[in-house]
Amino acid sequence: MFMQAFRLSAVVIAVLVSLRLPRPPSRAQQSSLAQSPTTPQSQPAQQTAGSQPHPVSRSTMRMALPRREYLCAGGTRVVILLETKAARLTLNGHVFTMKQVESESGSGSGTKYAGGSVVWSSTGEDGFLVDNADSSNPKMLAEECHLQSSYPPTAPASGSINGTATFGSAPSLPADAVLIVQLRDPSHDQDDPAAILAEERIPIGGRAAPISFAVKFDPSKANGKIPFAITASIRGRGKLLFVLVKAEAIPDITNPAPVHLALSRATLKQGKTPGSPVPEAPPHF
């Protein structure tokens, strides 16, 4: 009897203990718990999402710099970003930081930027890049460059006078030689800036004649009743090398015919220094 009562008591105690203790989770519950994140882990995620800064929008005051892209001889490309009195020029992945410099006196209305010995010269839609480290033998880095695109875009002139220029069997021209062709109004004095209606500058260093050109002009500034004229010269190393002795008349500016210009070598007059050549005869109309 005693043993039976003891066994019954043990069974009752085991049942009571099993009711009080929590049951271990099943395999399905364990898998569900493993997949769902716990509360301490979810709080940092919420804080991270809430702490992210708002995206910063670009200021509308930050305007794009004016940009010019040129295609040069041999397929070389020159890209220029223009700033106030400065420029950043890129050639073959190399960036040149330059400052605007004044053109030489009497050399016409060109634009120049220099960074050390490297100089970019341009007029209108044409330009060239030269390294003057050796002044006796300048090295052309990019030549015969012609404007391909620009920002902001520029409206092209609708009028054009086409032609060719020759300068005889001259020795090789200096690397910075430039052909300057101008459309002029003869009713103004020769030294009057208003006499120049349009101008084209073509880098021709080392090139041979003939040289083709196209002087673009705004027809609204040209009165068809006035006879106009074309003048031309070649300058290099700060000197006048060749000049068109007699200006070429343009009788009909509304439908100009092609012109062919024969330039003469500039010679020295008695009393002039070698650095100041003058034409054989002054240009006249």
Side-chain angles (χ1 to χ4, degrees):
M1 289 292 294
F2 177 77
M3 292 299 296
Q4 292 179 353
F6 177 79
R7 291 177 179 175
L8 180 60
S9 299
V11 171
V12 172
I13 292 171
V15 170
L16 292 175
V17 171
S18 64
L19 293 174
R20 288 176 179 270
L21 293 175
R23 294 182 179 180
S26 64
R27 292 184 177 180
Q29 291 175 336
Q30 290 178 354
S31 175
S32 175
L33 289 174
Q35 295 176 359
S36 61
T38 60
T39 301
Q41 293 176 344
S42 62
Q43 290 179 353
Q46 294 175 356
Q47 293 176 357
T48 302
S51 63
Q52 290 180 352
H54 295 288
V56 179
S57 60
R58 292 186 176 182
S59 171
T60 55
M61 298 298 292
R62 186 176 181 181
M63 306 300 290
L65 294 174
R67 181 177 184 274
R68 305 286 186 268
E69 182 173 351
Y70 294 81
L71 179 62
C72 310
T76 304
R77 289 189 177 274
V78 170
V79 178
I80 303 176
L81 295 178
L82 300 176
E83 302 178 16
T84 304
K85 299 292 184 178
R88 283 180 287 171
L89 183 148
T90 303
L91 171 67
N92 298 331
H94 186 82
V95 179
F96 298 89
T97 301
M98 299 179 161
K99 292 184 178 180
Q100 187 172 0
V101 296
E102 295 294 333
S103 300
E104 298 176 359
S105 178
S107 62
S109 57
T111 303
K112 285 189 176 182
Y113 293 91
S117 61
V118 178
V119 179
W120 167 259
S121 301
S122 66
T123 300
E125 298 184 351
D126 301 294
F128 62 91
L129 185 68
V130 62
D131 187 347
N132 293 319
D134 183 358
S135 58
S136 62
N137 185 26
K139 179 181 179 182
M140 267 301 191
L141 302 180
E143 57 185 328
E144 301 179 31
C145 301
H146 189 72
L147 183 66
Q148 297 295 298
S149 63
S150 63
Y151 176 85
T154 56
S158 57
S160 178
I161 298 176
N162 303 324
T164 57
T166 60
F167 41 90
S169 56
S172 59
L173 295 172
D176 64 343
V178 178
L179 170 65
I180 307 170
V181 184
Q182 295 178 338
L183 173 64
R184 302 179 64 95
D185 181 354
S187 65
H188 291 269
D189 185 76
Q190 181 179 343
D191 298 326
D192 186 354
I196 304 175
L197 300 179
E199 179 183 271
E200 183 183 17
R201 290 178 169 241
I202 305 175
I204 59 174
R207 296 175 58 182
I211 304 295
S212 299
F213 63 83
V215 181
K216 298 180 180 180
F217 64 94
D218 184 355
S220 64
K221 297 181 180 180
N223 186 341
K225 297 181 180 180
I226 299 177
F228 294 92
I230 288 288
T231 63
S233 62
I234 296 177
R235 303 188 69 94
R237 295 182 180 174
K239 301 177 181 179
L240 178 63
L241 304 178
F242 293 87
V243 66
L244 182 65
V245 175
K246 183 177 180 180
E248 183 75 18
I250 307 294
D252 184 5
I253 194 67
T254 61
N255 186 27
V259 295
H260 305 284
L261 311 178
L263 280 68
S264 301
R265 182 184 297 276
T267 58
L268 295 177
K269 281 189 177 181
Q270 188 175 3
K272 294 291 184 178
T273 62
S276 304
V278 295
E280 296 174 348
H284 59 278
F285 293 96

